[in-house]
Amino acid sequence: MGIREDLARVREEGLAAMAKATLGEELEAARLKYLGKKGELTALLKQMGRLSAEERPAMGALANEARAAVEAALETASKKLEAAALERKLKAETVDVTIPGKAPKIGHRHPMYLALDEIKDVFVGMGFTVLDGPEVELAELNFDRLNAEESHPSRDWSDTFYFDRDERVMLRSQTSPMQVRAMETMPLPMRIIAPGRVYRKDEVDATHSPMFHQVEGMVIDKNVTMADLKGTLNLLVERLYGAGTKTRFRPHHFPFTEPSCEMDVQCHKCGGAGCPTCKGEGWIELLGAGMIHPTVLEMSGIDPNVWSGWAFGMGLERTAMRRFKIADLRLIFENDVRFLEQF
Ligand code: PHE
């Protein structure tokens, strides 16, 4: 058989092999078989030397044409395989946007902060400003400027977290230093509340924690009386716990108020008859309060003959526990989602 026939045959076989390859490996095998260094077309080209000078140009052209055709077929086939692979990949990775999604787990507002929001609402509605203050506080503001005598028991190492031996810097044991900070910075008359964390060296139990929250409240104006204090606190309690909720005010002592009192709310469990929740008292203590001591006003440069004021400090955990009928303080701090989600 002559080279011309061989060329025609190899050309046809090469084209067919390229066209029918459905896998990358098959195509590569075909490329090697026809176009590779030891491939059939290459072998034929090598035989050109045997041809006569007259035959060579025509046959050479034919051979180049065959090679070009097979190369073009390889190119086409390789593009086709690439396209098919892409198609397969897209199919495999299709996102079905109609499948219902997984709802992302978002947190839940803590019942104590729900209660705080209600408290803020009541006071902001009455024109109070909400203040934020430092938890690391000067003993001067936590005690001295609040008229606490040098021997006051809460100043002791066993009650208070100090940072230094001189007992000058501490974790605030009450939000009351915010009274002083407000008096130093706010124009008169003023109405403020200041919620935040406070710290005392208490063991954890059903009603105690070394860290808890208070909300401080203070009004300074002209002709402010204890009646305003009672009216405001009664309104707060009715808004939190429902109309008709009863309160009682008992005389008490705080160094920075005079007179001072504690306010109890009638027990929500027994309605005042006495039960385990209120330890048989019928009442639950909610806050301390009183008329700001003239000495405290004076220490912050406010003339007690012109201005008067009242202040209170309420336990936020306790308020929330009564608001949401929670029996154990530890539930407030454990943050078990199953608990939190109930509110
Ligand atoms: N700071 C007091 C306490 O922690 C509460 C209080 C605040 C009392 C303001 C009177 C006025 O017990």
Side-chain angles (χ1 to χ4, degrees):
M1 263 231 262
I3 288 181
R4 180 186 292 275
E5 288 75 25
D6 285 346
L7 262 177
R9 179 184 50 80
V10 171
R11 182 182 192 274
E12 284 318 304
E13 283 177 10
L15 290 180
M18 300 295 170
K20 84 171 205 288
T22 53
L23 293 173
E25 304 91 87
E26 287 171 8
L27 193 60
E28 176 60 7
R31 185 187 72 79
L32 286 173
K33 182 161 187 220
Y34 295 100
L35 300 171
K37 266 195 189 129
K38 291 175 187 156
E40 298 195 15
L41 262 177
T42 320
L44 281 176
L45 284 171
K46 280 184 189 147
Q47 289 179 29
M48 292 295 160
R50 288 201 333 238
L51 295 171
S52 66
E54 299 86 71
E55 278 178 311
R56 220 174 283 156
M59 218 44 94
L62 213 60
N64 284 336
E65 194 268 327
R67 191 177 175 89
V70 177
E71 274 172 355
L74 170 70
E75 177 77 16
T76 310
S78 136
K79 286 228 173 86
K80 201 179 75 191
L81 287 190
E82 261 172 40
L86 182 65
E87 184 73 11
R88 268 198 308 279
K89 194 166 171 225
L90 286 176
K91 269 226 177 86
E93 291 175 5
T94 308
V95 175
D96 183 352
V97 292
T98 65
I99 292 175
K102 281 189 198 140
K105 272 221 168 217
I106 52 172
H108 192 276
R109 245 168 122 50
H110 195 286
M112 202 180 63
Y113 284 94
L114 292 174
L116 179 57
D117 280 350
E118 293 181 0
I119 295 167
K120 282 185 187 168
D121 262 2
V122 174
F123 282 104
V124 169
M126 293 189 288
F128 283 62
T129 303
V130 182
L131 296 185
D132 197 17
E135 291 167 32
V136 176
E137 185 56 281
L138 298 170
E140 187 195 341
L141 270 68
N142 195 93
F143 294 127
D144 304 329
R145 297 286 295 277
L146 288 168
N147 201 31
E149 61 270 37
E150 210 49 60
S151 60
H152 199 274
S154 65
R155 283 182 180 253
D156 205 87
W157 267 94
S158 59
D159 281 3
T160 291
F161 295 99
Y162 287 103
F163 287 89
D164 55 339
R165 290 193 176 277
D166 303 340
E167 303 186 354
R168 288 186 54 224
V169 183
M170 58 182 285
L171 287 172
R172 65 179 177 190
S173 62
Q174 51 185 355
T175 43
S176 299
M178 287 307 291
Q179 291 182 28
V180 181
R181 288 183 178 273
M183 286 185 236
E184 298 281 296
T185 53
M186 305 264 302
L188 290 163
M190 69 177 85
R191 297 186 178 96
I192 61 113
I193 59 167
R197 293 190 190 92
V198 301
Y199 302 83
R200 294 178 192 176
K201 286 189 179 167
D202 282 328
E203 296 290 336
V204 174
D205 66 23
T207 52
H208 290 90
S209 158
M211 185 282 290
F212 58 101
H213 296 71
Q214 286 187 334
V215 182
E216 195 79 8
M218 181 175 74
V219 170
I220 303 178
D221 206 335
K222 288 176 178 155
N223 304 315
V224 170
T225 72
M226 195 92 180
D228 302 313
L229 170 67
K230 289 180 75 173
T232 307
L233 291 177
N234 278 332
L235 186 126
L236 172 70
V237 162
E238 293 214 336
R239 288 280 291 277
L240 284 179
Y241 302 138
T245 306
K246 290 215 166 56
T247 56
R248 79 175 179 190
F249 292 79
R250 284 178 289 102
H252 201 75
H253 171 77
F254 298 105
F256 40 91
T257 46
E258 183 58 36
S260 304
C261 63
E262 280 190 330
M263 188 188 81
D264 301 335
V265 201
Q266 204 161 54
C267 178
H268 55 282
K269 265 275 161 66
C270 62
C275 72
T277 302
C278 56
K279 300 189 183 87
E281 294 276 317
W283 298 88
I284 295 169
E285 182 210 318
L286 209 64
L287 57 84
M291 300 305 294
I292 301 172
H293 199 293
T295 306
V296 171
L297 291 173
E298 249 165 12
M299 277 192 281
S300 289
I302 297 172
D303 184 350
N305 296 312
V306 181
W307 303 94
S308 57
W310 51 252
F312 69 86
M314 66 196 289
L316 187 51
E317 283 81 0
R318 233 177 244 193
T319 309
M321 283 167 75
R322 192 193 189 279
R323 170 71 181 77
F324 297 110
K325 302 188 168 50
I326 300 163
D328 194 315
L329 176 66
R330 285 164 289 200
L331 289 167
I332 297 259
F333 295 117
E334 274 164 6
N335 287 335
D336 187 324
V337 181
R338 291 165 300 179
F339 165 73
L340 297 177
E341 277 173 353
Q342 297 171 43
F343 305 98

Short mmCIF file of all heavy atoms in Angstrom, two decimals, residues 6-7 9-11 13-14 30-47 67:
data_model
loop_
_atom_site.label_atom_id
_atom_site.label_comp_id
_atom_site.label_asym_id
_atom_site.label_seq_id
_atom_site.Cartn_x
_atom_site.Cartn_y
_atom_site.Cartn_z
N ASP A 6 -2.21 5.10 3.11
CA ASP A 6 -1.95 5.07 4.56
C ASP A 6 -2.37 6.39 5.23
O ASP A 6 -3.01 6.40 6.27
CB ASP A 6 -0.47 4.82 4.84
CG ASP A 6 -0.10 3.35 4.58
OD1 ASP A 6 -1.06 2.53 4.48
OD2 ASP A 6 1.10 3.04 4.51
N LEU A 7 -1.99 7.48 4.57
CA LEU A 7 -2.33 8.79 5.13
C LEU A 7 -3.85 8.95 5.29
O LEU A 7 -4.35 9.36 6.34
CB LEU A 7 -1.81 9.90 4.22
CG LEU A 7 -0.47 10.54 4.60
CD1 LEU A 7 -0.07 11.55 3.55
CD2 LEU A 7 -0.55 11.18 5.98
N ARG A 9 -6.08 6.64 5.50
CA ARG A 9 -6.63 5.74 6.51
C ARG A 9 -6.37 6.28 7.92
O ARG A 9 -7.27 6.44 8.74
CB ARG A 9 -6.01 4.34 6.36
CG ARG A 9 -6.52 3.32 7.39
CD ARG A 9 -5.80 1.98 7.26
NE ARG A 9 -4.35 2.10 7.22
CZ ARG A 9 -3.58 2.26 8.30
NH1 ARG A 9 -4.13 2.34 9.51
NH2 ARG A 9 -2.27 2.36 8.18
N VAL A 10 -5.08 6.65 8.17
CA VAL A 10 -4.73 7.14 9.50
C VAL A 10 -5.51 8.41 9.83
O VAL A 10 -5.97 8.63 10.96
CB VAL A 10 -3.21 7.38 9.59
CG1 VAL A 10 -2.86 8.10 10.89
CG2 VAL A 10 -2.47 6.07 9.48
N ARG A 11 -5.68 9.27 8.82
CA ARG A 11 -6.45 10.50 9.02
C ARG A 11 -7.87 10.17 9.48
O ARG A 11 -8.35 10.69 10.49
CB ARG A 11 -6.48 11.26 7.70
CG ARG A 11 -7.19 12.59 7.74
CD ARG A 11 -7.16 13.18 6.32
NE ARG A 11 -7.56 14.55 6.27
CZ ARG A 11 -8.83 14.95 6.18
NH1 ARG A 11 -9.79 14.05 6.16
NH2 ARG A 11 -9.11 16.25 6.13
N GLU A 13 -9.05 7.32 10.78
CA GLU A 13 -9.06 6.66 12.10
C GLU A 13 -8.84 7.68 13.21
O GLU A 13 -9.48 7.66 14.26
CB GLU A 13 -7.96 5.60 12.15
CG GLU A 13 -8.32 4.32 11.41
CD GLU A 13 -7.18 3.30 11.42
OE1 GLU A 13 -6.19 3.53 12.19
OE2 GLU A 13 -7.28 2.31 10.70
N GLY A 14 -7.90 8.58 12.97
CA GLY A 14 -7.58 9.61 13.96
C GLY A 14 -8.79 10.47 14.25
O GLY A 14 -9.16 10.69 15.42
N ALA A 30 -5.73 8.73 22.42
CA ALA A 30 -5.87 8.94 20.98
C ALA A 30 -4.82 9.94 20.49
O ALA A 30 -4.24 9.77 19.42
CB ALA A 30 -7.28 9.46 20.67
N ARG A 31 -4.58 10.99 21.28
CA ARG A 31 -3.58 11.99 20.89
C ARG A 31 -2.21 11.32 20.73
O ARG A 31 -1.51 11.52 19.72
CB ARG A 31 -3.50 13.10 21.93
CG ARG A 31 -2.57 14.25 21.52
CD ARG A 31 -2.38 15.25 22.64
NE ARG A 31 -1.55 14.72 23.74
CZ ARG A 31 -0.22 14.65 23.70
NH1 ARG A 31 0.45 15.08 22.65
NH2 ARG A 31 0.45 14.15 24.73
N LEU A 32 -1.86 10.49 21.75
CA LEU A 32 -0.56 9.81 21.70
C LEU A 32 -0.49 8.88 20.50
O LEU A 32 0.50 8.81 19.80
CB LEU A 32 -0.33 9.03 23.00
CG LEU A 32 0.02 9.89 24.22
CD1 LEU A 32 0.06 9.02 25.47
CD2 LEU A 32 1.35 10.62 24.01
N LYS A 33 -1.60 8.18 20.25
CA LYS A 33 -1.61 7.16 19.19
C LYS A 33 -1.42 7.79 17.81
O LYS A 33 -0.74 7.21 16.95
CB LYS A 33 -2.94 6.40 19.25
CG LYS A 33 -3.02 5.29 18.21
CD LYS A 33 -4.07 4.26 18.54
CE LYS A 33 -3.94 3.12 17.54
NZ LYS A 33 -5.23 2.61 17.10
N TYR A 34 -1.98 8.99 17.60
CA TYR A 34 -1.92 9.55 16.23
C TYR A 34 -0.94 10.72 16.13
O TYR A 34 -0.28 10.87 15.12
CB TYR A 34 -3.33 9.98 15.78
CG TYR A 34 -4.23 8.78 15.67
CD1 TYR A 34 -5.14 8.44 16.67
CD2 TYR A 34 -4.10 7.92 14.56
CE1 TYR A 34 -5.92 7.32 16.57
CE2 TYR A 34 -4.88 6.78 14.46
CZ TYR A 34 -5.79 6.48 15.47
OH TYR A 34 -6.55 5.35 15.36
N LEU A 35 -0.87 11.55 17.14
CA LEU A 35 -0.06 12.77 17.02
C LEU A 35 1.23 12.71 17.84
O LEU A 35 2.09 13.57 17.67
CB LEU A 35 -0.87 14.00 17.46
CG LEU A 35 -2.16 14.27 16.67
CD1 LEU A 35 -2.98 15.36 17.34
CD2 LEU A 35 -1.83 14.66 15.23
N GLY A 36 1.33 11.75 18.74
CA GLY A 36 2.50 11.65 19.61
C GLY A 36 3.79 11.38 18.83
O GLY A 36 3.75 11.07 17.64
N LYS A 37 4.93 11.49 19.50
CA LYS A 37 6.25 11.30 18.87
C LYS A 37 6.36 9.93 18.21
O LYS A 37 6.99 9.78 17.18
CB LYS A 37 7.35 11.42 19.93
CG LYS A 37 7.90 12.84 20.02
CD LYS A 37 9.23 12.83 20.79
CE LYS A 37 9.65 14.26 21.07
NZ LYS A 37 9.98 14.48 22.49
N LYS A 38 5.73 8.93 18.87
CA LYS A 38 5.77 7.60 18.29
C LYS A 38 4.43 7.26 17.66
O LYS A 38 4.10 6.09 17.46
CB LYS A 38 6.11 6.57 19.38
CG LYS A 38 7.55 6.73 19.86
CD LYS A 38 7.86 5.81 21.00
CE LYS A 38 9.24 6.11 21.55
NZ LYS A 38 9.38 5.68 22.95
N GLY A 39 3.64 8.29 17.35
CA GLY A 39 2.31 8.09 16.81
C GLY A 39 2.33 7.73 15.32
O GLY A 39 3.36 7.84 14.67
N GLU A 40 1.16 7.34 14.86
CA GLU A 40 1.06 6.82 13.50
C GLU A 40 1.31 7.88 12.44
O GLU A 40 1.97 7.64 11.43
CB GLU A 40 -0.30 6.17 13.29
CG GLU A 40 -0.49 4.98 14.23
CD GLU A 40 -1.67 4.09 13.82
OE1 GLU A 40 -2.17 4.22 12.69
OE2 GLU A 40 -2.08 3.28 14.67
N LEU A 41 0.76 9.08 12.67
CA LEU A 41 0.96 10.15 11.69
C LEU A 41 2.43 10.55 11.63
O LEU A 41 3.00 10.73 10.56
CB LEU A 41 0.12 11.39 12.06
CG LEU A 41 -1.22 11.54 11.32
CD1 LEU A 41 -1.96 12.75 11.84
CD2 LEU A 41 -1.00 11.63 9.81
N THR A 42 3.05 10.64 12.79
CA THR A 42 4.46 10.99 12.85
C THR A 42 5.28 9.95 12.09
O THR A 42 6.21 10.29 11.35
CB THR A 42 4.91 11.04 14.33
OG1 THR A 42 3.87 11.65 15.09
CG2 THR A 42 6.18 11.86 14.50
N ALA A 43 4.91 8.67 12.29
CA ALA A 43 5.62 7.59 11.59
C ALA A 43 5.52 7.75 10.07
O ALA A 43 6.51 7.62 9.35
CB ALA A 43 5.07 6.25 12.03
N LEU A 44 4.31 8.14 9.62
CA LEU A 44 4.12 8.31 8.17
C LEU A 44 4.96 9.47 7.65
O LEU A 44 5.56 9.40 6.59
CB LEU A 44 2.65 8.54 7.86
CG LEU A 44 1.77 7.27 7.83
CD1 LEU A 44 0.31 7.65 7.60
CD2 LEU A 44 2.26 6.32 6.76
N LEU A 45 4.97 10.56 8.45
CA LEU A 45 5.73 11.74 8.02
C LEU A 45 7.21 11.38 7.84
O LEU A 45 7.88 11.89 6.95
CB LEU A 45 5.59 12.87 9.04
CG LEU A 45 4.24 13.61 9.00
CD1 LEU A 45 4.11 14.57 10.18
CD2 LEU A 45 4.07 14.36 7.68
N LYS A 46 7.66 10.48 8.75
CA LYS A 46 9.07 10.08 8.66
C LYS A 46 9.37 9.34 7.34
O LYS A 46 10.51 9.34 6.87
CB LYS A 46 9.44 9.21 9.85
CG LYS A 46 9.71 10.04 11.11
CD LYS A 46 10.17 9.16 12.25
CE LYS A 46 10.22 9.94 13.54
NZ LYS A 46 9.88 9.09 14.68
N GLN A 47 8.33 8.72 6.80
CA GLN A 47 8.55 7.94 5.56
C GLN A 47 8.67 8.81 4.32
O GLN A 47 8.98 8.32 3.24
CB GLN A 47 7.40 6.95 5.37
CG GLN A 47 7.45 5.82 6.41
CD GLN A 47 6.28 4.87 6.22
OE1 GLN A 47 5.79 4.71 5.08
NE2 GLN A 47 5.87 4.23 7.29
N ARG A 67 -2.48 16.03 9.38
CA ARG A 67 -2.09 16.34 10.76
C ARG A 67 -2.94 17.48 11.32
O ARG A 67 -3.47 17.40 12.45
CB ARG A 67 -0.61 16.72 10.79
CG ARG A 67 -0.08 16.80 12.21
CD ARG A 67 1.39 17.10 12.31
NE ARG A 67 1.69 17.26 13.73
CZ ARG A 67 2.04 16.26 14.51
NH1 ARG A 67 2.19 15.05 14.02
NH2 ARG A 67 2.23 16.47 15.80
#
